[in-house]
Amino acid sequence: MDKLKFYNTLTRKKEELSPLSPPVVTTYSCGPTVYNYAHIGNLRTYVFMDELRRTLKYAGYTTKSVMNITDVGHLTSDGDDGEDKMQTAAKKQNKTPEEIAEFYSKVFFKDLERLHILLPEIIAKATDNIAEMIEFVKGLCDKGYGYETDDGIYFDISKFDGYGKLSRCNIEDALAGARVAVNTQKRHPADFALWKKAEKNHIMQWPSPWGMGYPGWHIECSTMSKKFLGERFDIHTGGVDHIPIHHENEIAQSEALEGHKVVNLWMHGEFMLVDGGKMSKSLGNVYTIDDLISKGYSPLAFRYFCLNTHYRNKLNFTFDGLNGAATAYNRLRSTISACKSAPKADAETAQKVQAQKAAVIAAVYDDLNFPLALGELWTMAKYACREVYDAAVELNDIFALDLHLPQEQVHQDIPDEVKQLADKRFAARKAKDWATSDALRAELDALGYTVLDGKDGYELRIKN
Ligand code: AMP
Ligand code: ZN
């Protein structure tokens, strides 16, 4: 197994990976709350999870990775207020929460596949693990960390030494930051719900020692990581937004129950911004992979765009930026794939290719420095010999960009008028105006383009 270094959010230092039971590395990643389509920011975080898992495998480790699917308990605030996100979506769409979860989980897994994100070995649905969550909460109550109020069971953060260590805020900060409690029975405003008692109109509820209710969002991850990975595991990942509340609370719950450290390494992916700001529905800038496909970009061009910025840096999404990434991706792919039929290099050049390949791997092993690794890959591609192709085939296990395969047609090859025609056809299709849609398809066909329809968008390909 090769040596790997990763940045640990807890210690704020790069550390050499030292797994509990090599060659196995156990990882837990906070998965999606399946009440809506995953946006490109969410997907950036899963590309990061994938970079990590692929790198571990390439380095000779075996991964045992868990990703949860949150299908209950995540309220409209990340705290204890508001409605369950699943229930809100269910009401809006006149469906059951189970139907909502099934629909959006399916779309999510399709997105992962299109981005070449490998599935973690274990996918755990929160609603399949309620009994274990109740046991966990009981355990915390027995140890004096949990207490009951009229509306639920809460974790007493003042009892847990070291609350706030991940985000480096002390308990006073947490108390000052918490909103004035609506629930006056909480001992501290920053105490959080382990279990909530269900009101009558709450759709999802289960019997428990405290009556009918449902789990808090944070207890889900503590419980499922314990169940599948044990009371100690190697790496926990998620987006940076989870540091101050969700992961802080996970640490408090898990360490309070076990009486020792549970996670060795905390890794967090920075946020994706759009046009320099937050993604939000009201700004109309929340994009999905289907949105990008409908504009003619391939999912792998988006993957390249993600890899080109280090996971610990913010990534600002703009269509200009994506265009640039798609052009670079296309060029690198055509250069490398052409090397399949290139002649073998002389001994000296072949050695240089090997040295470049080693530089690519060294960059990745140093806290997943994919931007540097891509730079080294570009240098390697310039040797334009068969050895470059062979190296790229092997490195595809890490990059998953299919750089060794023939060129895809992407956005910048398609003229604006053609894209407009395709947009018009998609609008007609959505409006079930089949005659117009068919006529426009014929027009596109005559111009040399094929349209591939997806559920929420289309892909435009230049006919070969
Ligand atoms: P959620 O489905 O809201 O629980 O989020 C799923 C994952 O996406 C979490 O790991 C979040 O940290 C992450 N996430 C949410 N918004 C963004 C964003 N703008 N950029 C990167 N990651 C994000
Ligand atoms: Zn989580």
Side-chain angles (χ1 to χ4, degrees):
M1 273 99 43
D2 303 330
K3 281 193 174 163
L4 302 174
K5 272 191 189 162
F6 298 122
Y7 182 85
N8 188 348
T9 309
L10 189 68
T11 58
R12 307 283 199 274
K13 273 195 242 131
K14 264 194 223 173
E15 293 171 5
E16 197 171 298
L17 178 71
S18 166
L20 293 161
S21 323
V24 178
V25 178
T26 41
T27 78
Y28 184 93
S29 301
C30 290
T33 308
V34 281
Y35 68 106
N36 205 343
Y37 296 101
H39 59 58
I40 53 176
N42 302 136
L43 292 167
R44 180 193 187 199
T45 295
Y46 298 111
V47 168
F48 151 59
M49 169 192 83
D50 190 53
E51 287 167 13
L52 171 67
R53 296 188 62 247
R54 285 179 177 276
T55 301
L56 291 168
K57 286 171 193 284
Y58 190 87
Y61 293 102
T62 309
T63 54
K64 182 174 180 190
S65 302
V66 179
M67 179 174 67
N68 67 292
I69 299 288
T70 298
D71 54 356
V72 65
H74 197 166
L75 305 187
T76 43
S77 83
D78 271 0
D80 306 319
D81 310 321
E83 198 176 33
D84 191 303
K85 291 185 180 190
M86 299 301 301
Q87 178 157 325
T88 310
K91 274 194 205 156
K92 239 190 224 159
Q93 298 186 30
N94 212 6
K95 297 210 166 95
T96 64
E98 291 77 19
E99 286 168 336
I100 294 287
E102 200 188 325
F103 176 81
Y104 289 111
S105 299
K106 250 193 201 150
V107 180
F108 176 70
F109 288 121
K110 190 175 142 210
D111 285 347
L112 296 193
E113 195 184 324
R114 291 190 294 194
L115 287 168
H116 288 188
I117 295 170
L118 297 173
L119 275 193
E121 286 77 14
I122 300 159
I123 306 285
K125 252 168 65 178
T127 50
D128 287 341
N129 294 282
I130 302 290
E132 290 85 347
M133 291 172 200
I134 292 171
E135 278 311 301
F136 204 117
V137 177
K138 267 171 42 190
L140 286 173
C141 291
D142 290 347
K143 290 198 159 189
Y145 290 99
Y147 63 92
E148 186 167 0
T149 71
D150 285 346
D151 79 341
I153 308 296
Y154 285 82
F155 187 94
D156 184 342
I157 64 166
S158 70
K159 295 250 165 75
F160 179 70
D161 222 14
Y163 187 85
K165 61 186 168 187
L166 188 67
S167 46
R168 302 220 169 154
C169 80
N170 56 32
I171 219 166
E172 285 75 34
D173 294 338
L175 292 178
R179 272 163 297 161
V180 177
V182 183
N183 170 2
T184 48
Q185 292 180 326
K186 279 210 250 181
R187 291 182 190 162
H188 302 288
D191 287 355
F192 57 91
L194 298 166
W195 182 264
K196 296 244 2 196
K197 297 179 185 173
E199 284 158 20
K200 259 195 237 111
N201 61 354
H202 204 271
I203 308 175
M204 287 178 287
Q205 41 181 293
W206 292 264
S208 80
W210 317 282
M212 295 301 287
Y214 57 97
W217 172 40
H218 320 298
I219 202 71
E220 299 182 1
C221 288
S222 284
T223 305
M224 290 186 277
S225 59
K226 177 182 168 73
K227 176 173 173 182
F228 296 105
L229 302 176
E231 56 180 65
R232 292 178 203 266
F233 61 96
D234 295 310
I235 306 177
H236 195 311
T237 79
V240 287
D241 57 326
H242 287 345
I243 298 173
I245 299 176
H246 185 50
H247 289 166
E248 208 69 85
N249 293 351
E250 270 191 51
I251 291 177
Q253 296 165 153
S254 299
E255 295 192 2
L257 187 76
E258 309 299 353
H260 57 69
K261 182 164 118 176
V262 172
V263 178
N264 273 347
L265 201 84
W266 284 89
M267 293 177 74
H268 290 96
E270 248 299 349
F271 253 37
M272 176 176 277
L273 308 173
V274 172
D275 296 324
K278 226 184 132 163
M279 264 184 252
S280 84
K281 279 216 177 96
S282 57
L283 293 172
N285 65 2
V286 181
Y287 300 111
T288 62
I289 279 296
D290 275 313
D291 291 333
L292 302 191
I293 290 173
S294 73
K295 290 177 191 294
Y297 296 98
S298 80
L300 291 187
F302 176 72
R303 185 174 172 106
Y304 183 98
F305 176 74
C306 290
L307 297 191
N308 215 10
T309 297
H310 193 264
Y311 76 91
R312 284 197 286 121
N313 290 334
K314 289 193 173 69
L315 171 54
N316 185 26
F317 177 89
T318 61
F319 278 101
D320 275 352
L322 183 61
N323 247 333
T327 307
Y329 170 62
N330 236 13
R331 209 175 289 153
L332 186 60
R333 184 162 165 166
S334 67
T335 308
I336 289 180
S337 59
C339 290
K340 187 175 184 183
S341 45
K344 283 210 158 216
D346 55 72
E348 194 186 331
T349 312
Q351 215 168 34
K352 284 185 180 157
V353 173
Q354 285 316 307
Q356 267 316 117
K357 186 179 148 202
V360 170
I361 295 167
V364 170
Y365 284 2
D366 181 9
D367 196 28
L368 310 176
N369 195 340
F370 275 84
L372 178 60
L374 282 177
E376 303 288 6
L377 201 58
W378 273 94
T379 307
M380 185 181 92
K382 295 201 174 107
Y383 291 110
C385 53
R386 170 71 198 204
E387 284 80 353
V388 167
Y389 172 83
D390 294 339
V393 170
E394 198 189 307
L395 291 173
N396 201 46
D397 286 350
I398 312 183
F399 289 94
L401 288 168
D402 285 354
L403 294 166
H404 58 296
L405 298 179
Q407 194 70 32
E408 283 188 322
Q409 294 301 341
V410 289
H411 189 245
Q412 62 276 6
D413 296 321
I414 299 171
D416 276 337
E417 316 82 77
V418 174
K419 276 186 261 153
Q420 276 159 17
L421 272 182
D423 279 341
K424 251 166 88 180
R425 196 201 69 88
F426 186 62
R429 187 171 181 271
K430 253 186 150 170
K432 299 196 176 5
D433 179 357
W434 308 118
T436 310
S437 160
D438 285 349
L440 288 167
R441 180 190 279 280
E443 218 172 313
L444 286 162
D445 192 68
L447 289 167
Y449 295 91
T450 310
V451 193
L452 304 174
D453 285 314
K455 210 172 191 155
D456 310 292
Y458 63 86
E459 210 170 342
L460 208 49
R461 292 267 168 87
I462 299 174
K463 286 198 288 183
N464 291 319

Coordinates of all heavy atoms in Angstrom, one line a residue, residues 158-207:
S158 N -23.8 20.5 27.4 CA -23.0 20.9 28.5 C -22.3 19.7 29.1 O -21.3 19.8 29.8 CB -23.7 21.7 29.5 OG -24.6 20.9 30.2
K159 N -22.9 18.5 28.9 CA -22.4 17.3 29.5 C -21.2 16.7 28.7 O -20.5 15.8 29.2 CB -23.5 16.2 29.6 CG -24.6 16.5 30.6 CD -24.5 15.6 31.8 CE -25.4 16.2 32.9 NZ -26.8 15.9 32.7
F160 N -21.1 17.2 27.5 CA -20.1 16.6 26.6 C -18.9 17.5 26.5 O -18.9 18.6 26.0 CB -20.6 16.3 25.2 CG -19.6 15.7 24.3 CD1 -19.1 14.4 24.4 CD2 -19.1 16.5 23.2 CE1 -18.2 13.9 23.6 CE2 -18.1 16.0 22.4 CZ -17.7 14.7 22.5
D161 N -17.8 17.0 27.1 CA -16.6 17.8 27.1 C -16.0 17.8 25.7 O -15.9 16.8 25.1 CB -15.5 17.0 28.0 CG -14.8 18.0 28.9 OD1 -15.2 19.1 29.0 OD2 -13.8 17.5 29.4
G162 N -15.7 19.0 25.2 CA -15.2 19.1 23.9 C -16.2 19.4 22.8 O -15.9 19.3 21.6
Y163 N -17.4 19.8 23.2 CA -18.4 20.2 22.2 C -17.8 21.4 21.4 O -17.4 22.4 22.0 CB -19.7 20.5 22.8 CG -20.8 20.7 21.7 CD1 -21.5 19.6 21.1 CD2 -21.0 22.0 21.1 CE1 -22.4 19.8 20.1 CE2 -21.9 22.2 20.1 CZ -22.6 21.1 19.6 OH -23.4 21.2 18.5
G164 N -17.8 21.3 20.1 CA -17.3 22.4 19.3 C -15.9 22.2 18.8 O -15.4 23.1 18.1
K165 N -15.3 21.1 19.0 CA -13.9 20.9 18.7 C -13.6 20.9 17.2 O -12.5 21.2 16.7 CB -13.3 19.7 19.4 CG -13.8 18.4 19.1 CD -13.2 17.3 20.0 CE -13.9 16.0 19.9 NZ -13.4 15.0 20.9
L166 N -14.6 20.4 16.4 CA -14.4 20.3 15.0 C -14.4 21.7 14.3 O -13.5 22.1 13.5 CB -15.5 19.4 14.3 CG -15.3 19.1 12.9 CD1 -14.1 18.2 12.7 CD2 -16.5 18.4 12.3
S167 N -15.4 22.5 14.7 CA -15.5 23.9 14.1 C -14.7 24.9 15.0 O -14.6 26.0 14.6 CB -16.9 24.3 14.0 OG -17.6 24.0 15.2
R168 N -14.1 24.4 16.1 CA -13.3 25.2 17.0 C -14.2 26.4 17.5 O -13.7 27.5 17.5 CB -12.1 25.7 16.3 CG -11.2 24.6 15.9 CD -9.8 24.8 16.1 NE -9.0 23.5 15.9 CZ -7.8 23.5 15.5 NH1 -7.1 24.5 15.3 NH2 -7.2 22.3 15.3
C169 N -15.4 26.1 17.9 CA -16.2 27.1 18.6 C -16.4 26.5 20.0 O -16.5 25.3 20.1 CB -17.5 27.4 17.9 SG -18.8 26.2 18.2
N170 N -16.3 27.4 21.0 CA -16.5 26.8 22.3 C -18.0 26.8 22.6 O -18.8 27.3 21.9 CB -15.7 27.5 23.4 CG -16.0 29.0 23.4 OD1 -17.1 29.4 23.1 ND2 -15.0 29.8 23.6
I171 N -18.3 26.3 23.8 CA -19.7 26.1 24.1 C -20.4 27.4 24.2 O -21.6 27.6 23.8 CB -19.9 25.2 25.4 CG1 -21.0 24.3 25.2 CG2 -20.0 26.0 26.6 CD1 -21.1 23.2 26.2
E172 N -19.7 28.4 24.7 CA -20.3 29.8 24.8 C -20.7 30.3 23.4 O -21.8 30.9 23.3 CB -19.4 30.8 25.5 CG -19.2 30.6 27.0 CD -18.4 29.4 27.3 OE1 -17.4 29.1 26.6 OE2 -18.7 28.7 28.3
D173 N -19.8 30.1 22.4 CA -20.1 30.5 21.1 C -21.4 29.8 20.6 O -22.3 30.4 20.0 CB -19.0 30.2 20.1 CG -17.7 30.9 20.4 OD1 -17.8 32.0 21.0 OD2 -16.6 30.5 20.0
A174 N -21.4 28.5 20.8 CA -22.6 27.7 20.4 C -23.8 28.2 21.0 O -24.9 28.4 20.3 CB -22.4 26.2 20.7
L175 N -23.8 28.6 22.3 CA -24.9 29.1 23.0 C -25.3 30.4 22.4 O -26.5 30.7 22.1 CB -24.7 29.2 24.5 CG -24.5 27.9 25.2 CD1 -24.2 28.2 26.7 CD2 -25.7 27.0 25.1
A176 N -24.3 31.3 22.2 CA -24.6 32.6 21.6 C -25.2 32.6 20.2 O -26.1 33.3 19.8 CB -23.4 33.5 21.7
G177 N -24.7 31.6 19.4 CA -25.1 31.4 18.0 C -26.5 30.8 17.9 O -27.1 31.1 16.9
A178 N -26.9 30.1 18.9 CA -28.2 29.4 18.7 C -29.3 30.4 18.8 O -29.2 31.4 19.6 CB -28.3 28.3 19.8
R179 N -30.3 30.2 18.1 CA -31.5 31.1 18.1 C -32.2 31.0 19.5 O -32.1 29.9 20.1 CB -32.5 30.8 17.0 CG -32.2 31.5 15.8 CD -32.9 30.9 14.6 NE -32.4 29.5 14.4 CZ -33.1 28.6 13.8 NH1 -34.3 28.9 13.3 NH2 -32.6 27.4 13.6
V180 N -32.8 32.0 19.9 CA -33.5 31.9 21.2 C -34.5 30.8 21.1 O -35.2 30.6 20.1 CB -34.2 33.2 21.5 CG1 -35.0 33.1 22.8 CG2 -33.2 34.4 21.5
A181 N -34.4 29.9 22.1 CA -35.2 28.7 22.0 C -36.7 28.9 22.0 O -37.2 29.7 22.8 CB -34.8 27.8 23.2
V182 N -37.3 28.2 21.0 CA -38.8 28.2 20.9 C -39.2 27.3 22.0 O -40.2 27.5 22.7 CB -39.3 27.8 19.6 CG1 -40.8 27.8 19.5 CG2 -38.6 28.6 18.4
N183 N -38.4 26.2 22.1 CA -38.8 25.2 23.1 C -38.1 25.5 24.4 O -36.9 25.3 24.6 CB -38.2 23.8 22.5 CG -38.3 22.7 23.5 OD1 -38.7 22.9 24.6 ND2 -37.8 21.6 23.1
T184 N -38.8 26.0 25.3 CA -38.2 26.6 26.5 C -37.8 25.4 27.4 O -37.1 25.7 28.4 CB -39.2 27.5 27.2 OG1 -40.4 26.8 27.3 CG2 -39.4 28.8 26.5
Q185 N -38.2 24.2 27.1 CA -37.8 23.1 28.0 C -36.3 22.7 27.7 O -35.8 21.8 28.5 CB -38.7 21.9 27.9 CG -40.1 22.2 28.4 CD -41.0 21.0 28.2 OE1 -40.9 20.3 27.2 NE2 -41.9 20.8 29.1
K186 N -35.7 23.1 26.7 CA -34.3 22.8 26.4 C -33.5 23.4 27.5 O -33.6 24.5 27.9 CB -33.9 23.3 25.1 CG -34.3 22.5 23.9 CD -33.3 22.6 22.7 CE -33.8 23.4 21.6 NZ -32.9 23.5 20.5
R187 N -32.5 22.6 28.0 CA -31.6 23.1 29.0 C -30.7 24.2 28.5 O -30.3 25.1 29.2 CB -30.7 22.0 29.6 CG -31.6 21.0 30.4 CD -30.8 19.9 31.0 NE -31.7 18.8 31.5 CZ -31.3 17.6 31.8 NH1 -30.0 17.2 31.6 NH2 -32.2 16.7 32.3
H188 N -30.2 24.0 27.2 CA -29.4 25.0 26.6 C -30.0 25.3 25.2 O -30.4 24.3 24.6 CB -28.0 24.6 26.4 CG -27.3 24.2 27.7 ND1 -27.0 25.2 28.6 CD2 -27.0 23.0 28.3 CE1 -26.4 24.6 29.7 NE2 -26.5 23.3 29.5
P189 N -30.0 26.5 24.7 CA -30.5 26.7 23.4 C -29.8 25.8 22.3 O -30.5 25.5 21.3 CB -30.2 28.2 23.1 CG -30.0 28.8 24.4 CD -29.5 27.7 25.3
A190 N -28.6 25.5 22.5 CA -27.8 24.7 21.4 C -28.0 23.2 21.6 O -27.5 22.5 20.8 CB -26.4 25.1 21.4
D191 N -28.7 22.8 22.6 CA -29.0 21.3 22.7 C -29.8 20.9 21.5 O -30.6 21.7 20.9 CB -29.8 21.0 24.0 CG -29.0 21.1 25.2 OD1 -27.8 21.3 25.1 OD2 -29.6 21.0 26.3
F192 N -29.6 19.7 21.0 CA -30.2 19.3 19.7 C -31.1 18.0 19.9 O -30.8 17.2 20.8 CB -29.2 19.1 18.6 CG -28.1 18.2 18.9 CD1 -28.3 16.8 18.6 CD2 -27.0 18.6 19.6 CE1 -27.3 15.9 18.9 CE2 -26.0 17.7 19.9 CZ -26.1 16.3 19.5
A193 N -32.0 17.9 19.0 CA -33.0 16.7 19.2 C -32.3 15.4 18.7 O -31.7 15.3 17.6 CB -34.2 17.0 18.3
L194 N -32.4 14.4 19.5 CA -32.0 13.1 19.2 C -33.3 12.3 18.6 O -33.1 11.5 17.7 CB -31.6 12.3 20.4 CG -30.3 12.9 21.1 CD1 -30.2 12.3 22.5 CD2 -29.1 12.7 20.3
W195 N -34.4 12.6 19.2 CA -35.6 12.0 18.8 C -36.8 13.0 18.9 O -36.8 13.8 19.9 CB -35.9 10.8 19.7 CG -37.1 10.0 19.3 CD1 -38.4 10.1 19.9 CD2 -37.3 9.0 18.3 NE1 -39.3 9.3 19.3 CE2 -38.6 8.6 18.3 CE3 -36.4 8.4 17.4 CZ2 -39.1 7.6 17.4 CZ3 -36.8 7.4 16.5 CH2 -38.2 7.0 16.5
K196 N -37.7 13.1 18.0 CA -38.8 14.1 18.1 C -40.1 13.3 18.2 O -40.3 12.3 17.6 CB -38.8 15.0 16.9 CG -37.6 15.8 16.7 CD -37.7 17.3 16.8 CE -38.9 18.1 17.1 NZ -38.7 19.6 16.8
K197 N -40.9 13.8 19.2 CA -42.2 13.2 19.3 C -43.1 13.7 18.2 O -43.0 14.9 17.8 CB -42.8 13.6 20.7 CG -42.0 13.0 21.8 CD -42.6 13.4 23.2 CE -41.6 12.9 24.3 NZ -42.0 13.4 25.6
A198 N -43.8 12.8 17.6 CA -44.6 13.2 16.4 C -45.9 13.9 16.7 O -46.6 13.5 17.6 CB -44.9 12.0 15.5
E199 N -46.1 15.0 16.0 CA -47.5 15.6 16.1 C -48.4 14.7 15.3 O -48.0 14.0 14.4 CB -47.4 17.0 15.6 CG -46.8 17.9 16.6 CD -46.2 19.2 16.0 OE1 -46.7 19.6 14.9 OE2 -45.3 19.8 16.6
K200 N -49.7 14.9 15.5 CA -50.7 14.0 14.9 C -50.5 14.0 13.3 O -50.6 13.0 12.7 CB -52.1 14.5 15.2 CG -52.7 13.6 16.3 CD -54.2 13.9 16.4 CE -54.6 14.3 17.8 NZ -55.0 15.7 18.0
N201 N -50.3 15.2 12.8 CA -50.3 15.3 11.3 C -48.9 14.9 10.7 O -48.7 15.1 9.5 CB -50.7 16.7 10.8 CG -49.8 17.8 11.4 OD1 -48.9 17.4 12.1 ND2 -50.0 19.0 10.9
H202 N -48.0 14.5 11.5 CA -46.7 14.1 11.0 C -46.8 12.7 10.3 O -47.3 11.7 10.9 CB -45.7 14.0 12.1 CG -44.3 14.2 11.6 ND1 -43.5 13.1 11.2 CD2 -43.6 15.3 11.4 CE1 -42.4 13.6 10.7 NE2 -42.4 14.9 10.9
I203 N -46.5 12.7 9.0 CA -46.7 11.4 8.2 C -45.8 10.3 8.7 O -46.3 9.2 8.8 CB -46.5 11.7 6.7 CG1 -47.3 12.9 6.2 CG2 -47.0 10.4 5.9 CD1 -47.1 13.3 4.8
M204 N -44.5 10.5 8.8 CA -43.6 9.4 9.2 C -43.4 9.4 10.7 O -42.9 10.3 11.3 CB -42.3 9.7 8.5 CG -42.4 9.4 7.0 SD -40.8 9.8 6.2 CE -40.7 11.5 6.3
Q205 N -43.8 8.3 11.3 CA -43.6 8.1 12.7 C -43.5 6.7 13.1 O -44.1 5.8 12.5 CB -44.7 8.8 13.5 CG -46.1 8.7 13.0 CD -47.1 9.5 13.9 OE1 -47.2 9.1 15.1 NE2 -47.6 10.6 13.4
W206 N -42.7 6.4 14.1 CA -42.5 5.0 14.6 C -42.7 4.9 16.1 O -42.4 5.9 16.8 CB -41.0 4.6 14.3 CG -40.8 4.5 12.8 CD1 -40.8 3.3 12.1 CD2 -40.4 5.5 11.9 NE1 -40.5 3.6 10.8 CE2 -40.2 4.9 10.6 CE3 -40.2 6.9 12.0 CZ2 -39.9 5.6 9.5 CZ3 -39.9 7.6 10.8 CH2 -39.7 7.0 9.6
P207 N -43.1 3.7 16.6 CA -43.2 3.6 18.1 C -41.8 3.6 18.7 O -40.8 3.1 18.1 CB -43.9 2.2 18.2 CG -43.7 1.5 17.0 CD -43.5 2.5 15.9

